[in-house]
Amino acid sequence: MSADSKQHLLDAEKSIKRNPHPDFKKVEASRPEWDASKGFAYTQTKNPNWKPGDGANDGGECLTKEHREIDPYAEGRPAVFNYKLLISAIVPRPIGFVSTISKDGSSTNLSPFSYFNMVNHDPPVFIIGFAGGFNLMKDSLRNLTETGECCINIISEHYVEAANSTSVNAPYGISEWALSGLHPAPCKKVAASRVKEAVFSVEGKLMDTKEFESRSTAGKKTGVMAIIEGVNFWAREDSVNEDGNQIDPGILRPMSRLGGITYGRLVDGLEIPRPEYDQMIASDEAQKLAKPKADGQ
């Protein structure tokens, strides 16, 4: 990436103003300390006695609230407003902690992406969203497109600070691995390293990319989606069952992204069986709800 392109990305990042605190360390010091005693636990749902037709579990309170319409393309609305709105609303988002290596093998990159998710299992397919177009490629996207390979790692509680540190705007050529203190481990089917500290990692091969153009500024490229096939998995031995088809959430302890600079911690889970239709309408009351579809339903 050229110096001008890198400066453009830095200026764009500053305009977002993620950190709402002038003195973050002072604000952080005023908060309760990390509670290491919070292990992952299953709870009941809020309404274990929910039955067909009951709707929301808040007694109808949500129906008393009004909504405000927000046009993403309203005149005078900056695109960054949509970014900040969406990252605070579409939550929690899994984090793709992506490792790449340059085509000549001389440079590596390690960076977290909250535009990330799984979209298929046969074959295993993942998507990663990169800010900026191909004309302003960050190192991760450049390495990925040139080599067609990467490794996606899932961020856990025990290395969240180190993972976050890799989002720093370090000069080109400075290693995020060294700055973070994380350790590279070899992959089997791709040249990029996996994060040794990660409980779960996916070796990936690039399937396709899609570049997006701004709706408000004609010709401006605003992002790239990379579609990646998972070709090999790594799971820490104490986290995975004998069949290799289930990761223990109490070991994975995954971190998610919320809005701004906020991360989410997962300490509670609840289980709700997927309903069978015949069982769902077994009662006389439920059978009365089995009506043909109509407008508004």
Side-chain angles (χ1 to χ4, degrees):
M1 181 186 298
S2 70
D4 288 344
S5 296
K6 196 167 185 70
Q7 186 60 49
H8 175 84
L9 290 173
L10 295 179
D11 291 342
E13 177 61 29
K14 289 178 182 178
S15 71
I16 295 172
K17 299 179 181 178
R18 298 176 196 269
N19 182 8
H21 312 295
D23 188 344
F24 173 75
K25 281 299 181 182
K26 181 178 180 180
V27 173
E28 184 184 41
S30 70
R31 295 170 174 166
E33 293 183 354
W34 178 276
D35 187 353
S37 68
K38 286 186 177 179
F40 182 83
Y42 285 102
T43 71
Q44 297 182 13
T45 66
K46 185 175 180 180
N47 181 11
N49 298 315
W50 187 96
K51 60 184 185 302
D54 277 355
N57 62 23
D58 64 353
E61 181 182 353
C62 60
L63 297 177
T64 68
K65 309 297 183 181
E66 297 299 325
H67 287 75
R68 170 184 167 189
E69 179 186 359
I70 301 174
D71 181 351
Y73 306 126
E75 185 177 353
R77 180 179 175 85
V80 70
F81 279 21
N82 293 334
Y83 171 76
K84 298 183 77 169
L85 174 68
L86 292 174
I87 65 169
S88 67
I90 311 303
V91 294
R93 297 187 308 284
I95 308 167
F97 195 29
V98 180
S99 166
T100 58
I101 188 169
S102 62
K103 190 173 183 178
D104 62 7
S106 65
S107 177
T108 62
N109 193 263
L110 185 62
S111 185
F113 292 86
S114 67
Y115 283 177
F116 162 76
N117 220 317
M118 177 184 77
V119 296
N120 198 55
H121 69 278
D122 185 18
V125 179
F126 306 83
I127 53 171
I128 300 172
F130 296 84
F134 286 122
N135 61 322
L136 292 173
M137 284 195 292
K138 292 185 177 181
D139 299 334
S140 292
L141 180 57
R142 183 180 301 279
N143 292 344
L144 177 61
T145 54
E146 289 183 352
T147 66
E149 298 181 349
C150 69
C151 184
I152 303 168
N153 308 272
I154 300 303
I155 296 176
S156 298
E157 290 182 2
H158 61 271
Y159 71 98
V160 63
E161 300 92 346
N164 180 71
S165 76
T166 65
S167 62
V168 67
N169 56 337
Y172 181 77
I174 297 298
S175 170
E176 291 87 4
W177 289 96
L179 287 173
S180 68
L182 294 172
H183 296 80
C187 287
K188 186 175 182 180
K189 298 181 180 179
V190 304
S193 300
R194 58 190 170 90
V195 176
K196 177 66 174 174
E197 287 82 352
V199 175
F200 188 71
S201 301
V202 177
E203 297 184 32
K205 298 272 191 176
L206 182 64
M207 299 175 74
D208 204 354
T209 58
K210 169 68 176 178
E211 188 176 43
F212 302 107
E213 184 172 313
S214 170
R215 295 288 190 187
S216 56
T217 306
K220 180 182 179 181
K221 307 302 182 182
T222 56
V224 174
M225 176 181 68
I227 304 172
I228 296 166
E229 178 183 358
V231 296
N232 206 33
F233 306 138
W234 295 85
R236 212 172 78 181
E237 287 186 350
D238 62 342
S239 73
V240 65
N241 65 355
E242 186 176 351
D243 290 334
N245 64 10
Q246 185 75 40
I247 298 293
D248 184 346
I251 301 295
L252 183 61
R253 303 297 289 268
M255 299 297 296
S256 65
R257 279 309 303 263
L258 305 177
I261 60 173
T262 307
Y263 286 83
R265 185 184 183 193
L266 182 63
V267 294
D268 289 333
L270 52 90
E271 295 181 321
I272 308 179
R274 185 170 180 169
E276 293 284 347
Y277 181 73
D278 289 344
Q279 296 177 6
M280 191 176 201
I281 64 165
S283 70
D284 292 340
E285 289 186 2
Q287 288 182 20
K288 296 176 183 178
L289 299 172
K291 301 177 181 179
K293 291 184 179 181
D295 290 345
Q297 294 183 336

